[in-house]
């Protein structure tokens, strides 16, 4: 059975040495008053979280994959053995409320801590983690734009985890393109609406783990304009709360079927049929898309954490196998008494392992940096700091979602490769990590859509302002460290790549402006995926250089008893020598532009547009 | 349900325009006497093959995945519904004997044709195709080194497909490292041997499709030296043929269990327990490894064809979806009357599709080039030509295996991405292609092992002689076409990369020689995977440039009514602009050498070698 240990030492390094989380939180009265600026307390919470995750969730991971969810003829769904019991323990221990607002019963802990716990849950059992995970988005949207009545009725239950939430966006004919959804809302005249339509791909859409499920549903109110400007957001409970706030009448939303999927079998991916279901408007009429983006942004970072968590656990299992499996001999012999040496002695095996380690540790740094920025955005007393943090979150959220899920999938695949034939066999668990990781690149906006969000919306439409702020951080670090013995060469590589990123940005922007016949968007579309990957390497390069600097100082000061900092330095070196050079190819591909994609559609694809 | 149409037009282009298969076969009396130099006849065979594959195998692909194979308590295995009936049709139509020696009942057709049919079978149903596929290896080994008695008893049955074959190499503790296998052979004194041991991961190891299964088994004869020099090859039939050559007494080899795998569910991957099973020596005592390599080399090209076939079918399905799925609007509108445009109108979607097209078409060209080289190696009257062909096959077999399966998997993943959420859903079939494609990178020698075979054995240990011959072909083409209006720029990029490949080869070779303390092998090991990928791009670049040249001439001559050649040109352009630049990154990574991988094992991995 797969193993997993939460990377506690790395959390402490990142929080306290790289990011200075406690000092930062100390500047925010919300957390200082709460003792959340006490590093020991943060560490203890993470240790407690790890005990729960390793002890309760990890053992259910394969069960969930093998059993999957079962739907009865009347649309009720049973989750795999143990899922419900583990969820009860999770709720009883108060974990759902970890970073929620104390106003609604939350514990008011920082996102930084909740983010680390979410990574752990994704490593141990991503399908299980999605049940409470989806609730988070619903809480965000309700907190921000829900009416006081809706908040009072639903937030305490959702935050306590007694009820769970969903996001109902996709329809059979409308995925990325939410402007064409057909689900309708009719005004009942009593403050409620009748919602009718079919939603598909609804994660945690129906299950037996909580007593009620609160669906947040995009629908078109009768008489609303076409497209995205005519969409509103509705709250549709599975059971309509009665006067005492307890689940009452069964609402007209039924699970029509469960999807058969490549992975995340333990999570119920439901087709939901809404047949005049009673719903309540969340926020303003026709502002549903804006409101939904509150949920989506939380979900996007959460999806990035799935890539991170799955890459990490795949790496841990590949590492354990590589130390244990004896195959072929190395010179000098690692285990002279044995018939063969452990495969970790072969450089190519270490290449695969270090790929996992380098991407996981940089991804973790990025995730925690963004989590701290979310804390800052929400609670810093200085408005400029809040704005700065918000800009960083906006810019880096698509990078975190796409780069972390792409890397997570690739790391899972490479980790599977370390096990050779055993990697293909279910009992070893690696093939499940690969299948589970694959969805992260697809849902919550495909990684192609994330790339368009980054290059189109967050960079070009912003006139490069957010990008320049990030570049300022890089430059500041570079200027301070360009002569550094250890990280000077990294700084040099990073600075070149950052400058090149600026050049590439301007190049694409210019091509887009100069293109004729509406083809400007094509230039952005053609470059976006390679651009995001280039961007991701610049961000990871920055984080690796910073981590290496801290590690080098510790080693120089003789403060590296367990070799933790030596390992950071070795991994940074590997990253810059073996992974970062991907930018060399990406740069050429970005420069090639849209022209090689502007092919004769009839000749190449047998496609004829209607004219 | 997934679609598939065999790429007939591409086969005709590659065989008759790129490779001149018929002229080449015409130089070989074996084929000329057989009318196999008649292009129309070759085309007809391929059309017939496609009818069988599309009509009989494709419809069983998902059935096979969903049902898998079932093992009864006594070790008998039932294949998925329809597999056995389809196999009977395959045998009745004479397909198993397609490229086999007429001496044993074969049809004596060229490998070129059999290779194309194998690609089709892998596209339509790779799990099914593995049953007859494994037989091929057994036939090769028996034909080459089996005694006349064994050949007469077994070859006609195997070639007719009445019996199938297996390769029994792997044991629980020994995969790549066959030198440490424990399966024993004891001399029965009657010309037979008693084979005892456990073999795992045996594809098509037990099933109900044929009346007998012939296992070719690596085992250690009592008293043989340790390591690979003490291993012999034995033939162990499931049923021992009686005096009339019919299946008689049940032999002591039993399927102990079937593996639960990520994919290829329709193929029975068996644990086989040999308990004093009667076996017969194939070839010479203690030469088992050499003999097994005859099977392995055939299997490696066959595995490459799995990557090709799965990439192709995944591409075809992504293309169909991309034309059909309406989502978001493009400027100018492709379907002005609809609410949205087909996603093929978005450049990033075309990028994913063209990646599939470019890799599949180059892979097909490589596979057929190698198949023709196998025909030449076997049947050309000129010894120098035979040697030249053999060298090319030896050099390019690891490239075909690894580069084609890596690309096949990546293309399947990208094609899945084109479908968005539907790509993750089983019914659409894409996720099965991804799972099925994953094994090709692992078995028949992992792609890491292929890379070591290429760089270590086929290039460096060969003193670069085979590589220089290949370089000669490239140079010849480059010199003839460097001024060409269409392909001149490709020739220039290709020549630079080919020169760089030479430089990188010398660099790694020199580092390996200069390394101290037995670390020379580490330099090869560290560079091998990136080196093979670089090598693969040089080979594909050469093939794309040649294909583009032919296409350009046809277009210039006004002979491109259906746009086939325009499509080739567009795909070549895409390949050189968007895929070939990967070499820029690989070159930097190869140059970085083993140093970034030579980490402190205790600090980085918590691993302490025994001293």
């Amino acid at each position: 059975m797969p193993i997993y240990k939460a990377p506690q030492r790395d959390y402490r390094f990142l929080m306290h040495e790289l990011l200075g989380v406690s000092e930062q939180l100390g500047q925010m009265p919300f957390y200082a008053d709460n003792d959340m600026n006490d590093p020991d307390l943060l560490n203890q919470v993470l240790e407690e979280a790890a005990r729960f995750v390793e002890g309760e969730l990890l053992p259910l991971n394969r069960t969930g994959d093998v059993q999957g969810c079962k739907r009865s003829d009347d649309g009720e769904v049973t989750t795999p053995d143990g899922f419900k019991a583990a969820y009860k323990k999770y709720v009883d221990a108060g974990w759902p409320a970890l970073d929620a607002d104390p106003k609604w019963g939350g514990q008011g802990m920082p996102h930084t801590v909740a983010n680390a716990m979410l990574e752990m849950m994704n490593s141990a059992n991503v399908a299980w983690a999605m049940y409470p995970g989806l609730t988070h988005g619903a809480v965000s949207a309700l907190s921000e734009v829900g009416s006081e009545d809706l908040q009072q009725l639903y937030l305490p239950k959702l935050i306590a985890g007694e009820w769970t939430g969903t996001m109902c966006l996709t329809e059979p004919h409308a995925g990325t393109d939410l402007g064409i959804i057909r689900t309708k809302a009719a005004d009942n005249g009593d403050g409620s609406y009748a919602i009718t339509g079919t939603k598909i791909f609804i994660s945690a859409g129906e299950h037996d783990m909580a007593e009620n499920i609160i669906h947040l549903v995009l629908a078109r109110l009768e008489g609303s304009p076409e497209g995205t400007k005519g969409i509103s957001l509705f709250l549709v409970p599975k059971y309509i709360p009665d006067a005492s706030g307890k689940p009452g009448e069964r609402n007209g939303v039924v699970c029509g079927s469960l999807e058969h999927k490549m992975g995340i079998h333990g999570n119920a991916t439901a087709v939901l049929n809404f047949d005049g279901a009673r719903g309540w408007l969340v926020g303003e009429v026709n502002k549903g898309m804006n409101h939904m983006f509150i949920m989506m942004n939380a979900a996007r970072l959460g999806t990035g954490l799935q890539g991170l968590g799955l890459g990490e656990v795949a790496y841990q299992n590949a590492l354990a196998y590589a130390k244990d499996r004896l195959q072929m001999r190395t010179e000098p012999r690692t285990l002279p008494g044995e018939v063969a040496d452990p495969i970790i002695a072969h450089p190519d095996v270490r290449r695969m392992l270090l790929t996992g380690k380098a991407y996981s540790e940089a991804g973790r740094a990025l995730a925690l940096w963004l989590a701290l920025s979310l804390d800052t955005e929400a609670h810093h007393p200085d408005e400029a700091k809040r704005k700065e943090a918000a800009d960083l979150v906006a810019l880096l959220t698509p990078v975190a979602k796409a780069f972390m899920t792409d890397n997570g999938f690739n790391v899972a695949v490479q980790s599977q490769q370390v096990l050779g034939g055993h990697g293909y066999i279910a009992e070893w668990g690696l093939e499940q990590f690969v299948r589970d990781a694959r969805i992260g690149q697809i849902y919550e906006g495909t990684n192609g859509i994330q790339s368009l969000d980054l290059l189109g919306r967050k960079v070009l439409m912003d006139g490069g302002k957010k990008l320049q702020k990030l570049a300022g951080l890089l430059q500041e670090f570079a200027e301070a460290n360009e002569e550094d013995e250890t990280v000077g060469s990294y700084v040099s590589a990073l600075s070149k790549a950052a400058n090149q990123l600026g050049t590439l940005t301007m190049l694409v922007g210019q091509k887009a402006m100069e293109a004729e016949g509406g083809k400007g968007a094509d230039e952005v579309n053609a470059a976006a995926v390679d651009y995001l990957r280039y961007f991701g390497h610049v961000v990871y390069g920055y984080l690796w250089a910073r981590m290496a600097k801290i590690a080098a100082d510790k080693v120089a000061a003789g403060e590296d008893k367990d070799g933790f900092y030596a390992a950071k330095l070795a991994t940074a070196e590997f990253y810059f020598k073996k992974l970062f050079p991907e930018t060399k190819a990406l740069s050429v591909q970005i420069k090639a532009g849209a022209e090689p994609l502007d092919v004769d559609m009839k000749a190449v694809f047998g496609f004829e547009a209607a004219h």
Side-chain angles (χ1 to χ4, degrees), chain A residues 456-527:
Chain A
R457 186 182 303 255
K458 303 291 172 60
V459 173
L460 294 177
M461 280 169 64
D462 181 54
K465 286 200 287 288
K466 293 187 187 73
L467 175 60
Q468 276 164 23
K469 280 196 201 167
L470 179 69
L473 293 179
L474 267 64
Q475 203 178 343
E476 193 182 317
F477 178 78
E479 281 169 9
N481 295 284
E482 60 194 356
E483 307 288 332
D484 187 277
E485 203 180 331
T486 310
V487 306
S489 68
Y490 306 154
V491 164
S492 158
L494 180 62
S495 295
K496 270 185 216 158
N499 287 338
Q500 177 74 350
L501 181 65
T503 307
L504 292 168
T505 306
M506 283 189 289
L507 180 78
V508 177
Q510 201 164 353
K511 276 192 186 179
M513 279 193 301
E514 289 169 0
E516 288 176 4
K519 289 281 180 190
D522 280 8
E523 291 292 343
V524 177
N525 200 299

Side-chain angles (χ1 to χ4, degrees), chain A residues 420-461:
Chain A
H422 297 100
Y424 202 67
I425 305 298
E427 285 77 0
W428 288 87
L430 273 293
E431 64 91 28
Q432 184 188 344
F433 297 138
V434 172
R435 288 184 290 105
D436 286 355
R438 185 67 185 88
I439 190 61
Q441 304 172 283
I442 297 172
Y443 63 13
E444 305 310 340
T446 64
N447 286 358
I449 294 296
Q450 303 301 322
S451 305
L452 288 174
D453 181 44
L454 173 70
L455 176 55
R457 186 182 303 255
K458 303 291 172 60
V459 173
L460 294 177
M461 280 169 64

Side-chain angles (χ1 to χ4, degrees), chain A residues 318-327 335 341-344 428:
Chain A
L319 175 59
Y321 184 89
K323 292 188 209 178
D324 194 52
R325 174 77 169 176
L326 308 183
Q327 208 79 173
L335 294 178
D341 291 302
I343 60 172
I344 199 170
W428 288 87

Side-chain angles (χ1 to χ4, degrees), chain A residues 154-209:
Chain A
Y154 291 98
L155 279 178
K157 296 286 192 184
L158 287 168
I159 283 170
E162 289 177 44
W163 300 352
T164 65
T166 75
M167 291 166 58
C168 300
L169 290 74
T170 306
E171 300 183 5
H173 70 295
T176 297
D177 196 353
L178 292 170
I180 58 175
I181 61 165
R182 293 178 192 144
T183 296
K184 288 196 181 100
D187 194 335
N188 288 332
D190 62 354
S192 75
Y193 296 82
I195 312 293
T196 302
T198 299
K199 294 288 181 178
I200 64 168
F201 299 161
I202 308 308
S203 296
E206 182 55 68
H207 59 81
D208 57 358
M209 285 164 58

